[in-house]
Amino acid sequence: MRYSQSLIPTLKENPAEAEVASHRLLLRAGYIRKLTAGIYTYLPLGLAAVRKVEHIVREEMNRAGAQELLMPMVQPADLWHETGRYEKYGPELLRFVDRHDRESCLGPTHEEVITDLVRREIRSYRDLPKNLYQIQTKFRDEIRPRFGLMRGREFIMKDAYSFDVDDVQAGESYQRMYDAYKKIFTRCGLDFRPVEADSGTIGGSFSHEFMVLADTGEDTLVICSSCDYAANSEKAEVKAPQADESPLLELTKVETPGKRKVPVVCEFMEIEPHELVKTMVYKADEEYIAVLVRGDREVQEVKLKNHLGVVDVEMATDKEVYDATGVPTGYLGPIDITIKLLVDQEVAAMRNFVCGANEKNFHVKNVNMGRDFEPAAVADLRQITASDPCPVCGAALGMKEGIEVGHVFKLGTGYSTAMNAVFKDSNGQDKPMVMGCYGIGVSRIVAAAIEQNHDENGMAFPMPLAPMQVILLNLGLKDEKITKTAESLYLELQEKGVDVLLDDRDERPGSKFKDADLLGIPLRVTVGKRLTKDGVVELRQRKDGATEELAPEMVAARIVELINAAMID
Ligand code: ATP
Ligand code: MG
C-alpha cells in the first residue's frame, strides 16, 4: 500500500471526545471515523486490523470443527416472540416496522435465527453435533456507547452456536470452544484471562468470559493468589461469614436528626460502618424490593437480578422510595417495612446492628434478624471486595480491571424447547437439542489490543493484529538512489508476503517519523541519507525502539525473520 494513495487522515491534536487511549489513537491515526454516536466507519487501516482479527478467529473456529455461514441482520419479531425475548430484551433491541407493518428488529445476537434454521434442517441424532458461526455486524442500541470501538452500537462480532444431543456432548462442544478461544487470544498477542462469568438465571459455572487485562476495562475481575479461581466480580461468590454469637441487646430507638448518610450516622452514633446496616431499595421489573447490606458494602445488582429472576433491576429514586414505603431515604430499615425484604448473608450473621427506624430523623440500635424482623430470603447479594477470601480455597484475592473480548455460554435446552428445535434420537424419540453460544467482539479486540499496547507517541500493535507489518519511509523522494532502493524494497517485501506501507509522501522526515509512531506499525524501515553516506538503511522496532542498520539487500530476510518470530501459532 502506498501512503500517497491511501486514506490515512492522521490528526495532530487529541480529539476531545475520546476518554481512553484506544479511542483517541484510533481517531488520531486515521483508523476510524465517527458517523454518529457509537457508529463508526472503518478506514483502510482500521479495516485491515479488523481483518487480521477475523483471520485468526476464522482459522481457529474452522480448526475446532465449526462451520461458517452468514445470517441476515434484519430479523422478524415473530421469532423473538417465540422465545419471549421481544418483550424481555429491553431497549438495546432496535425494533422497527417495515412498509407492510411487519415488526422487525436489527440482530443484536442470533440465537433465534440459528435455532429456526436448525430446527428446519436437522432432524436426526445422526446430523448432530453441529457448530455454526458467522462474523457479522451486530446492532445494540447501547444506553452509553463510548470508548470508540470498545462499546459501539454497531460492532463486529463472531457468534457461534452449537447443537448437541445431550449434556455430555454439549459439554465437549463447550470445552472445544473454550480451548479455541484460548488459542485465538494467545495468537492475537493479548494478555488475557478466562474468568467465570455470570450466566443469568441458569446459575453454576456455565459461562466464561475472556478478559483482556487493562486498567480501562469496564469489568472488575477477582483472581485468587493461590488457586486457579478467577471470576467476574459481578458473579464472584462471597463466602458466608461465621455467625456472631453475642447476646441480643435491647432494641433502642435513637433520634438522629438530619443524619441520613452512612458516614454521618456513624459519626453521630460513634460506630463503624460495619456495625451499621443499609436498606437499599430497588425497582425489580415493576416491584419495589428492599435489600439489607452492611454499611461498608455495595449491593451487587447482577446477583440481585438473578436471585429475583427478573429482567431488570434499578436503584429506586428518593421519590420512588418514599412513594413505595412512606419513609424518606436515609431512615429506612427492616422493622415493619412494607415492601419485600431481602437480606445479604453477611447481615444475617450480624448481631445488634444499627439501621433506620422507618421514621424520619430516627435510627434504631441493637437490631437482630429473627427477633425484630423476618426477611423474605437471605442470599449472597453483595459485591465481593479485595479483602474477601477466595470462595474456593480461602486464600487472598487480587482485583484487576478487564475488557471482555469473548464469552462462552452453555445454553442448555431453553431456546430449543421454546422454539421446538428437536431431533429424533436413536429410539425415534423427539428430544430438544442442547445448545451453547460463543461470542467474540472482533472490533472490540482491536481497541483492547491498543489499550494494552501504546505509548505517548501512538499505538504499538502486536505483530499478529497489525494492519501493516512494516512501514517503509522514503526520505529522499528526489534522490534517485534512495527512491530506487525504497521502491525495490517495497516490491521485494510484497513478494515475500509482507504487509508493507510505503511512505512515499512529499512530507518532512519529522512528520513521517511522527506518523509512523502514531500508526503503531511494528517495524519501520528508513531509507534516507545513511544510504547515500554509508550504504545502510535503518530497521527499527516500534515496541522497544530497538534499532539496527543493514545493507538494503539484508533487510527483507531480516524482516521475515522478525515477523516469523512474532507470530504465534
Ligand atoms: P458487555 O457486558 O460488554 O455489554 P455482553 O455480555 O453484552 O458484553 P455478549 O452478548 O456476550 O456481550 O457479546 C459477545 C461479545 O461481543 C462480548 O464478549 C464483547 O466482546 C462484544 N461486545 C458486546 N457488546 C459490544 C459493544 N457494544 N461494542 C463492541 N463489542 C461488544
Ligand atoms: Mg452488553
Side-chain angles (χ1 to χ4, degrees):
M1 192 157 104
R2 284 177 185 276
Y3 208 140
S4 60
Q5 294 167 7
S6 326
L7 180 62
I8 310 175
T10 56
L11 307 172
K12 293 225 158 52
E13 304 296 324
N14 280 328
E17 80 248 40
E19 296 168 65
V20 297
S22 61
H23 188 193
R24 196 162 57 233
L25 292 170
L26 282 165
L27 288 168
R28 271 198 62 198
Y31 276 54
I32 59 169
R33 280 297 179 262
K34 178 169 149 182
L35 180 63
T36 181
I39 301 186
Y40 291 87
T41 296
Y42 302 92
L43 303 189
L45 286 183
L47 183 62
V50 165
R51 294 281 185 251
K52 290 284 171 94
V53 178
E54 289 179 356
H55 175 74
I56 293 172
V57 169
R58 237 180 220 115
E59 267 192 7
E60 293 305 328
M61 290 302 291
N62 294 345
R63 252 182 220 172
Q67 276 195 73
E68 188 170 3
L69 45 59
L70 186 58
M71 290 179 267
M73 195 179 173
V74 171
Q75 308 185 4
D78 288 349
L79 279 182
W80 287 71
H81 284 308
E82 287 189 45
T83 57
R85 284 214 293 181
Y86 202 67
E87 295 72 32
K88 274 196 195 161
Y89 206 90
E92 262 185 38
L93 182 67
L94 186 65
R95 300 161 170 88
F96 58 94
V97 286
D98 66 15
R99 63 164 74 195
H100 301 293
D101 269 344
R102 281 183 297 235
E103 279 192 281
S104 310
C105 59
L106 284 187
T109 176
H110 280 66
E111 283 80 9
E112 280 80 0
V113 176
I114 194 87
T115 307
D116 177 57
L117 177 84
V118 168
R119 74 178 163 185
R120 290 165 194 275
E121 308 306 330
I122 288 181
R123 297 274 149 75
S124 159
Y125 71 96
R126 284 191 212 91
D127 304 322
L128 293 171
K130 284 275 178 292
N131 185 330
L132 302 163
Y133 78 96
Q134 63 175 347
I135 298 179
Q136 191 222 29
T137 297
K138 297 278 183 275
F139 192 92
R140 293 182 182 179
D141 204 354
E142 296 274 355
I143 183 166
R144 246 172 261 106
R146 56 180 189 161
F147 301 162
L149 297 188
M150 202 89 91
R151 185 168 296 281
R153 292 198 296 153
E154 202 178 289
F155 59 96
I156 302 170
M157 195 202 285
K158 186 285 300 178
D159 46 327
Y161 305 89
S162 62
F163 296 85
D164 285 287
V165 296
D166 57 24
D167 280 337
V168 174
Q169 206 182 59
E172 289 163 9
S173 293
Y174 184 87
Q175 190 60 42
R176 247 195 315 279
M177 283 297 104
Y178 183 94
D179 294 341
Y181 274 39
K182 282 218 293 212
K183 198 85 195 292
I184 287 168
F185 300 119
T186 305
R187 279 188 63 188
C188 286
L190 295 167
D191 180 14
F192 71 97
R193 180 93 206 216
V195 302
E196 288 180 21
D198 170 49
S199 43
T201 43
I202 301 176
S205 48
F206 286 112
S207 158
H208 288 87
E209 287 163 343
F210 288 78
M211 295 287 188
V212 164
L213 304 177
D215 295 340
T216 43
E218 292 181 285
D219 287 276
T220 303
L221 324 176
V222 295
I223 298 173
C224 180
S225 57
S226 166
C227 75
D228 287 341
Y229 182 77
N232 190 318
S233 72
E234 65 186 25
K235 124 116 204 181
E237 239 173 90
V238 175
K239 261 196 165 169
Q242 288 262 314
D244 182 352
E245 305 277 335
S246 320
L248 307 188
L249 303 178
E250 193 185 336
L251 189 68
T252 315
K253 199 157 135 183
V254 186
E255 191 168 3
T256 51
K259 316 282 183 232
R260 300 168 59 217
K261 297 241 179 284
V262 172
V264 182
V265 177
C266 286
E267 198 192 336
F268 184 76
M269 296 190 63
E270 298 182 340
I271 54 167
E272 293 298 321
H274 67 81
E275 298 170 281
L276 181 133
V277 166
K278 297 191 278 198
T279 307
M280 309 297 293
V281 178
Y282 287 86
K283 194 173 169 187
D285 289 351
E286 288 314 309
E287 193 187 0
Y288 289 99
I289 309 271
V291 185
L292 298 191
V293 285
R294 223 169 72 174
D296 55 342
R297 307 297 195 194
E298 300 305 328
V299 174
Q300 173 41 256
E301 293 180 13
V302 172
K303 289 183 180 176
L304 177 62
K305 192 169 104 173
N306 291 342
H307 176 82
L308 294 167
V310 296
V311 178
D312 195 36
V313 298
E314 221 179 299
M315 188 126 68
T317 62
D318 286 359
K319 177 167 187 314
E320 287 171 333
V321 171
Y322 188 77
D323 290 347
T325 63
V327 181
T329 37
Y331 303 104
L332 219 53
I335 303 173
D336 298 328
I337 193 163
T338 52
I339 56 176
K340 182 170 174 178
L341 177 69
L342 300 178
V343 171
D344 177 56
Q345 59 184 7
E346 188 176 40
V347 172
M350 287 168 74
R351 283 270 165 97
N352 304 318
F353 57 79
V354 170
C355 61
N358 281 333
E359 185 181 336
K360 190 173 176 184
N361 294 336
F362 285 95
H363 279 75
V364 264
K365 62 181 196 186
N366 302 329
V367 179
N368 288 285
M369 193 176 97
R371 184 189 70 179
D372 305 321
F373 67 93
E374 277 301 342
V378 173
D380 170 17
L381 296 172
R382 78 163 165 91
Q383 170 76 29
I384 198 162
T385 67
S387 47
D388 282 304
C390 169
V392 174
C393 75
L397 287 177
M399 291 186 121
K400 281 208 160 112
E401 310 305 314
I403 301 167
E404 180 195 328
V405 288
H407 196 171
V408 292
F409 207 105
K410 278 190 199 171
L411 290 173
T413 53
Y415 288 92
S416 48
T417 306
M419 295 185 69
N420 199 33
V422 296
F423 66 95
K424 294 230 179 297
D425 72 6
S426 52
N427 303 316
Q429 295 262 306
D430 277 346
K431 289 247 175 75
M433 299 177 200
V434 185
M435 291 173 58
C437 71
Y438 316 94
I440 289 184
V442 170
S443 44
R444 186 182 279 182
I445 287 176
V446 174
I450 298 165
E451 290 301 328
Q452 257 182 10
N453 301 282
H454 68 271
D455 58 25
E456 62 285 0
N457 298 320
M459 328 196 227
F461 267 102
M463 186 65 82
L465 300 188
M468 292 283 144
Q469 297 165 316
V470 175
I471 183 163
L472 176 58
L473 309 185
N474 177 346
L475 296 189
L477 284 180
K478 297 197 182 82
D479 180 307
E480 197 183 329
K481 186 168 180 204
I482 291 177
T483 297
K484 225 170 120 189
T485 305
E487 291 289 335
S488 71
L489 262 176
Y490 179 52
L491 279 182
E492 193 186 352
L493 286 167
Q494 282 179 306
E495 273 161 20
K496 289 196 151 48
V498 173
D499 297 323
V500 52
L501 176 64
L502 171 65
D503 191 347
D504 56 349
R505 296 173 302 163
D506 185 12
E507 291 282 346
R508 285 179 301 108
S511 71
K512 290 194 176 190
F513 287 132
K514 268 217 166 69
D515 279 340
D517 274 352
L518 180 60
L519 298 186
I521 297 170
L523 300 173
R524 185 186 82 191
V525 177
T526 308
V527 188
K529 287 217 179 72
R530 300 274 292 137
L531 180 73
T532 342
K533 262 211 326 229
D534 309 305
V536 293
V537 301
E538 184 202 77
L539 173 61
R540 179 175 176 268
Q541 306 202 31
R542 174 67 183 86
K543 218 160 192 162
D544 55 8
T547 304
E548 44 197 300
E549 292 190 322
L550 301 162
E553 57 277 16
M554 308 301 288
V555 172
R558 176 67 180 140
I559 282 175
V560 169
E561 186 180 63
L562 287 171
I563 290 174
N564 288 341
M567 300 301 263
I568 308 147
D569 16 65

